[in-house]
mmCIF file of all heavy atoms in Angstrom:
data_model
loop_
_atom_site.group_PDB
_atom_site.id
_atom_site.type_symbol
_atom_site.label_atom_id
_atom_site.label_comp_id
_atom_site.label_asym_id
_atom_site.label_seq_id
_atom_site.Cartn_x
_atom_site.Cartn_y
_atom_site.Cartn_z
ATOM 1 N N ARG B 80 5.293 -9.476 34.358
ATOM 2 C CA ARG B 80 4.303 -8.393 34.437
ATOM 3 C C ARG B 80 2.991 -8.738 33.768
ATOM 4 O O ARG B 80 1.934 -8.515 34.319
ATOM 5 C CB ARG B 80 4.871 -7.123 33.808
ATOM 6 C CG ARG B 80 5.291 -6.076 34.815
ATOM 7 C CD ARG B 80 5.856 -4.857 34.126
ATOM 8 N NE ARG B 80 7.236 -5.067 33.722
ATOM 9 C CZ ARG B 80 8.273 -5.010 34.555
ATOM 10 N NH1 ARG B 80 8.093 -4.791 35.832
ATOM 11 N NH2 ARG B 80 9.496 -5.197 34.103
ATOM 12 N N SER B 81 3.028 -9.240 32.592
ATOM 13 C CA SER B 81 1.810 -9.537 31.824
ATOM 14 C C SER B 81 2.034 -10.890 31.163
ATOM 15 O O SER B 81 2.637 -10.980 30.094
ATOM 16 C CB SER B 81 1.577 -8.443 30.779
ATOM 17 O OG SER B 81 0.438 -8.742 29.995
ATOM 18 N N THR B 82 1.563 -11.923 31.823
ATOM 19 C CA THR B 82 1.909 -13.271 31.392
ATOM 20 C C THR B 82 1.314 -13.618 30.035
ATOM 21 O O THR B 82 0.208 -13.177 29.673
ATOM 22 C CB THR B 82 1.440 -14.307 32.422
ATOM 23 O OG1 THR B 82 0.070 -14.056 32.756
ATOM 24 C CG2 THR B 82 2.287 -14.250 33.678
ATOM 25 N N LYS B 83 2.081 -14.417 29.304
ATOM 26 C CA LYS B 83 1.637 -14.915 27.999
ATOM 27 C C LYS B 83 1.546 -16.433 28.092
ATOM 28 O O LYS B 83 2.139 -17.063 28.983
ATOM 29 C CB LYS B 83 2.633 -14.519 26.909
ATOM 30 C CG LYS B 83 2.872 -13.019 26.807
ATOM 31 C CD LYS B 83 3.623 -12.677 25.532
ATOM 32 C CE LYS B 83 5.098 -12.940 25.629
ATOM 33 N NZ LYS B 83 5.835 -11.798 26.198
ATOM 34 N N LEU B 84 0.832 -17.021 27.146
ATOM 35 C CA LEU B 84 0.684 -18.475 27.156
ATOM 36 C C LEU B 84 2.046 -19.164 27.144
ATOM 37 O O LEU B 84 2.250 -20.178 27.826
ATOM 38 C CB LEU B 84 -0.134 -18.946 25.951
ATOM 39 C CG LEU B 84 -1.588 -18.488 25.893
ATOM 40 C CD1 LEU B 84 -2.231 -18.961 24.579
ATOM 41 C CD2 LEU B 84 -2.378 -18.994 27.076
ATOM 42 N N GLU B 85 2.984 -18.595 26.390
ATOM 43 C CA GLU B 85 4.298 -19.212 26.245
ATOM 44 C C GLU B 85 5.187 -19.058 27.471
ATOM 45 O O GLU B 85 6.310 -19.571 27.494
ATOM 46 C CB GLU B 85 5.015 -18.682 24.997
ATOM 47 C CG GLU B 85 5.136 -17.185 24.936
ATOM 48 C CD GLU B 85 4.027 -16.528 24.123
ATOM 49 O OE1 GLU B 85 2.870 -17.000 24.174
ATOM 50 O OE2 GLU B 85 4.331 -15.524 23.443
ATOM 51 N N ASP B 86 4.696 -18.358 28.483
ATOM 52 C CA ASP B 86 5.430 -18.288 29.747
ATOM 53 C C ASP B 86 5.190 -19.522 30.615
ATOM 54 O O ASP B 86 5.828 -19.691 31.656
ATOM 55 C CB ASP B 86 5.039 -17.042 30.541
ATOM 56 C CG ASP B 86 5.459 -15.751 29.853
ATOM 57 O OD1 ASP B 86 6.515 -15.765 29.181
ATOM 58 O OD2 ASP B 86 4.726 -14.760 29.980
ATOM 59 N N SER B 87 4.262 -20.362 30.215
ATOM 60 C CA SER B 87 4.003 -21.597 30.958
ATOM 61 C C SER B 87 5.264 -22.451 30.969
ATOM 62 O O SER B 87 5.801 -22.794 29.915
ATOM 63 C CB SER B 87 2.863 -22.384 30.315
ATOM 64 O OG SER B 87 1.655 -21.669 30.405
ATOM 65 N N ALA B 88 5.747 -22.754 32.149
ATOM 66 C CA ALA B 88 7.020 -23.472 32.281
ATOM 67 C C ALA B 88 7.246 -23.784 33.752
ATOM 68 O O ALA B 88 6.524 -23.301 34.628
ATOM 69 C CB ALA B 88 8.178 -22.630 31.758
ATOM 70 N N MET B 89 8.289 -24.553 34.010
ATOM 71 C CA MET B 89 8.803 -24.719 35.369
ATOM 72 C C MET B 89 9.891 -23.675 35.544
ATOM 73 O O MET B 89 10.790 -23.573 34.699
ATOM 74 C CB MET B 89 9.368 -26.120 35.547
ATOM 75 C CG MET B 89 9.934 -26.383 36.923
ATOM 76 S SD MET B 89 8.638 -26.673 38.131
ATOM 77 C CE MET B 89 8.617 -28.451 38.117
ATOM 78 N N TYR B 90 9.812 -22.905 36.601
ATOM 79 C CA TYR B 90 10.804 -21.861 36.875
ATOM 80 C C TYR B 90 11.651 -22.288 38.062
ATOM 81 O O TYR B 90 11.133 -22.565 39.148
ATOM 82 C CB TYR B 90 10.118 -20.521 37.153
ATOM 83 C CG TYR B 90 9.539 -19.914 35.899
ATOM 84 C CD1 TYR B 90 8.308 -20.332 35.404
ATOM 85 C CD2 TYR B 90 10.238 -18.933 35.191
ATOM 86 C CE1 TYR B 90 7.787 -19.796 34.228
ATOM 87 C CE2 TYR B 90 9.727 -18.387 34.021
ATOM 88 C CZ TYR B 90 8.496 -18.840 33.551
ATOM 89 O OH TYR B 90 7.990 -18.307 32.387
ATOM 90 N N PHE B 91 12.953 -22.353 37.837
ATOM 91 C CA PHE B 91 13.888 -22.765 38.880
ATOM 92 C C PHE B 91 14.694 -21.571 39.362
ATOM 93 O O PHE B 91 15.242 -20.808 38.554
ATOM 94 C CB PHE B 91 14.869 -23.810 38.353
ATOM 95 C CG PHE B 91 14.249 -25.135 38.018
ATOM 96 C CD1 PHE B 91 14.071 -25.519 36.705
ATOM 97 C CD2 PHE B 91 13.854 -26.006 39.027
ATOM 98 C CE1 PHE B 91 13.510 -26.743 36.390
ATOM 99 C CE2 PHE B 91 13.286 -27.234 38.721
ATOM 100 C CZ PHE B 91 13.107 -27.600 37.399
ATOM 101 N N CYS B 92 14.815 -21.462 40.654
ATOM 102 C CA CYS B 92 15.724 -20.518 41.279
ATOM 103 C C CYS B 92 16.992 -21.295 41.660
ATOM 104 O O CYS B 92 16.920 -22.492 41.991
ATOM 105 C CB CYS B 92 15.050 -19.949 42.520
ATOM 106 S SG CYS B 92 16.071 -18.888 43.541
ATOM 107 N N ALA B 93 18.125 -20.635 41.600
ATOM 108 C CA ALA B 93 19.376 -21.253 42.035
ATOM 109 C C ALA B 93 20.217 -20.212 42.756
ATOM 110 O O ALA B 93 20.018 -19.004 42.592
ATOM 111 C CB ALA B 93 20.143 -21.820 40.837
ATOM 112 N N SER B 94 21.159 -20.690 43.552
ATOM 113 C CA SER B 94 22.079 -19.762 44.207
ATOM 114 C C SER B 94 23.454 -20.393 44.288
ATOM 115 O O SER B 94 23.605 -21.620 44.207
ATOM 116 C CB SER B 94 21.568 -19.380 45.603
ATOM 117 O OG SER B 94 21.610 -20.473 46.498
ATOM 118 N N SER B 95 24.459 -19.546 44.415
ATOM 119 C CA SER B 95 25.827 -20.013 44.576
ATOM 120 C C SER B 95 26.574 -19.056 45.487
ATOM 121 O O SER B 95 26.185 -17.899 45.658
ATOM 122 C CB SER B 95 26.541 -20.147 43.231
ATOM 123 O OG SER B 95 26.703 -18.885 42.607
ATOM 124 N N THR B 96 27.662 -19.581 46.057
ATOM 125 C CA THR B 96 28.452 -18.757 46.970
ATOM 126 C C THR B 96 29.116 -17.618 46.218
ATOM 127 O O THR B 96 29.106 -16.477 46.645
ATOM 128 C CB THR B 96 29.524 -19.626 47.662
ATOM 129 O OG1 THR B 96 28.876 -20.736 48.247
ATOM 130 C CG2 THR B 96 30.254 -18.843 48.716
ATOM 131 N N ILE B 97 29.750 -17.968 45.111
ATOM 132 C CA ILE B 97 30.346 -16.943 44.259
ATOM 133 C C ILE B 97 29.998 -17.273 42.823
ATOM 134 O O ILE B 97 29.546 -18.363 42.520
ATOM 135 C CB ILE B 97 31.884 -16.870 44.422
ATOM 136 C CG1 ILE B 97 32.541 -18.196 44.055
ATOM 137 C CG2 ILE B 97 32.241 -16.447 45.831
ATOM 138 C CD1 ILE B 97 34.045 -18.142 44.078
ATOM 139 N N GLY B 98 30.216 -16.316 41.926
ATOM 140 C CA GLY B 98 29.746 -16.520 40.558
ATOM 141 C C GLY B 98 30.846 -16.664 39.528
ATOM 142 O O GLY B 98 30.581 -17.028 38.404
ATOM 143 N N PHE B 99 32.074 -16.406 39.941
ATOM 144 C CA PHE B 99 33.105 -16.388 38.917
ATOM 145 C C PHE B 99 33.943 -17.656 38.972
ATOM 146 O O PHE B 99 34.032 -18.312 39.995
ATOM 147 C CB PHE B 99 33.996 -15.157 39.058
ATOM 148 C CG PHE B 99 34.535 -14.954 40.446
ATOM 149 C CD1 PHE B 99 35.701 -15.562 40.866
ATOM 150 C CD2 PHE B 99 33.859 -14.139 41.341
ATOM 151 C CE1 PHE B 99 36.186 -15.375 42.154
ATOM 152 C CE2 PHE B 99 34.326 -13.946 42.621
ATOM 153 C CZ PHE B 99 35.492 -14.568 43.029
ATOM 154 N N ALA B 100 34.586 -17.966 37.865
ATOM 155 C CA ALA B 100 35.379 -19.190 37.791
ATOM 156 C C ALA B 100 36.552 -19.130 38.762
ATOM 157 O O ALA B 100 37.067 -18.064 39.053
ATOM 158 C CB ALA B 100 35.901 -19.375 36.376
ATOM 159 N N GLY B 101 36.962 -20.248 39.252
ATOM 160 C CA GLY B 101 38.174 -20.289 40.052
ATOM 161 C C GLY B 101 38.061 -21.054 41.344
ATOM 162 O O GLY B 101 39.042 -21.324 41.980
ATOM 163 N N ALA B 102 36.862 -21.422 41.740
ATOM 164 C CA ALA B 102 36.755 -22.165 42.992
ATOM 165 C C ALA B 102 35.507 -23.027 42.972
ATOM 166 O O ALA B 102 34.556 -22.738 42.268
ATOM 167 C CB ALA B 102 36.713 -21.216 44.189
ATOM 168 N N TYR B 103 35.531 -24.087 43.744
ATOM 169 C CA TYR B 103 34.418 -25.031 43.708
ATOM 170 C C TYR B 103 33.135 -24.414 44.216
ATOM 171 O O TYR B 103 32.049 -24.866 43.937
ATOM 172 C CB TYR B 103 34.758 -26.284 44.501
ATOM 173 C CG TYR B 103 34.790 -26.078 45.999
ATOM 174 C CD1 TYR B 103 33.645 -26.284 46.754
ATOM 175 C CD2 TYR B 103 35.941 -25.690 46.646
ATOM 176 C CE1 TYR B 103 33.664 -26.101 48.124
ATOM 177 C CE2 TYR B 103 35.965 -25.499 48.010
ATOM 178 C CZ TYR B 103 34.828 -25.705 48.742
ATOM 179 O OH TYR B 103 34.845 -25.517 50.090
ATOM 180 N N GLN B 104 33.265 -23.299 44.999
ATOM 181 C CA GLN B 104 32.056 -22.737 45.605
ATOM 182 C C GLN B 104 31.084 -22.181 44.588
ATOM 183 O O GLN B 104 29.972 -21.837 44.929
ATOM 184 C CB GLN B 104 32.422 -21.612 46.579
ATOM 185 C CG GLN B 104 33.095 -22.072 47.834
ATOM 186 C CD GLN B 104 34.601 -21.999 47.722
ATOM 187 O OE1 GLN B 104 35.152 -22.045 46.642
ATOM 188 N NE2 GLN B 104 35.260 -21.875 48.845
ATOM 189 N N GLU B 105 31.490 -22.061 43.308
ATOM 190 C CA GLU B 105 30.566 -21.434 42.381
ATOM 191 C C GLU B 105 29.500 -22.391 41.886
ATOM 192 O O GLU B 105 28.660 -22.014 41.093
ATOM 193 C CB GLU B 105 31.295 -20.832 41.204
ATOM 194 C CG GLU B 105 31.950 -21.839 40.295
ATOM 195 C CD GLU B 105 32.465 -21.151 39.044
ATOM 196 O OE1 GLU B 105 31.655 -20.684 38.229
ATOM 197 O OE2 GLU B 105 33.684 -21.068 38.900
ATOM 198 N N THR B 106 29.508 -23.637 42.328
ATOM 199 C CA THR B 106 28.442 -24.558 41.963
ATOM 200 C C THR B 106 27.084 -23.996 42.335
ATOM 201 O O THR B 106 26.894 -23.470 43.428
ATOM 202 C CB THR B 106 28.672 -25.898 42.673
ATOM 203 O OG1 THR B 106 29.908 -26.438 42.220
ATOM 204 C CG2 THR B 106 27.560 -26.870 42.377
ATOM 205 N N GLN B 107 26.153 -24.088 41.405
ATOM 206 C CA GLN B 107 24.817 -23.560 41.621
ATOM 207 C C GLN B 107 23.893 -24.661 42.147
ATOM 208 O O GLN B 107 23.849 -25.753 41.611
ATOM 209 C CB GLN B 107 24.258 -22.993 40.310
ATOM 210 C CG GLN B 107 25.052 -21.786 39.825
ATOM 211 C CD GLN B 107 24.580 -21.244 38.504
ATOM 212 O OE1 GLN B 107 23.449 -21.482 38.083
ATOM 213 N NE2 GLN B 107 25.441 -20.511 37.828
ATOM 214 N N TYR B 108 23.159 -24.309 43.200
ATOM 215 C CA TYR B 108 22.217 -25.231 43.811
ATOM 216 C C TYR B 108 20.810 -24.768 43.471
ATOM 217 O O TYR B 108 20.476 -23.590 43.651
ATOM 218 C CB TYR B 108 22.434 -25.295 45.325
ATOM 219 C CG TYR B 108 23.757 -25.917 45.669
ATOM 220 C CD1 TYR B 108 24.915 -25.145 45.752
ATOM 221 C CD2 TYR B 108 23.867 -27.287 45.875
ATOM 222 C CE1 TYR B 108 26.141 -25.722 46.035
ATOM 223 C CE2 TYR B 108 25.092 -27.877 46.166
ATOM 224 C CZ TYR B 108 26.223 -27.083 46.239
ATOM 225 O OH TYR B 108 27.435 -27.659 46.519
#
Side-chain angles (χ1 to χ4, degrees):
Chain B
R80 255 179 280 282
S81 178
T82 49
K83 303 192 281 273
L84 296 176
E85 55 265 37
D86 294 327
S87 295
M89 180 77 96
Y90 287 81
F91 292 107
C92 174
S94 68
S95 65
T96 307
I97 60 175
F99 51 87
Y103 72 91
Q104 290 95 335
E105 67 171 292
T106 298
Q107 295 177 21
Y108 293 87

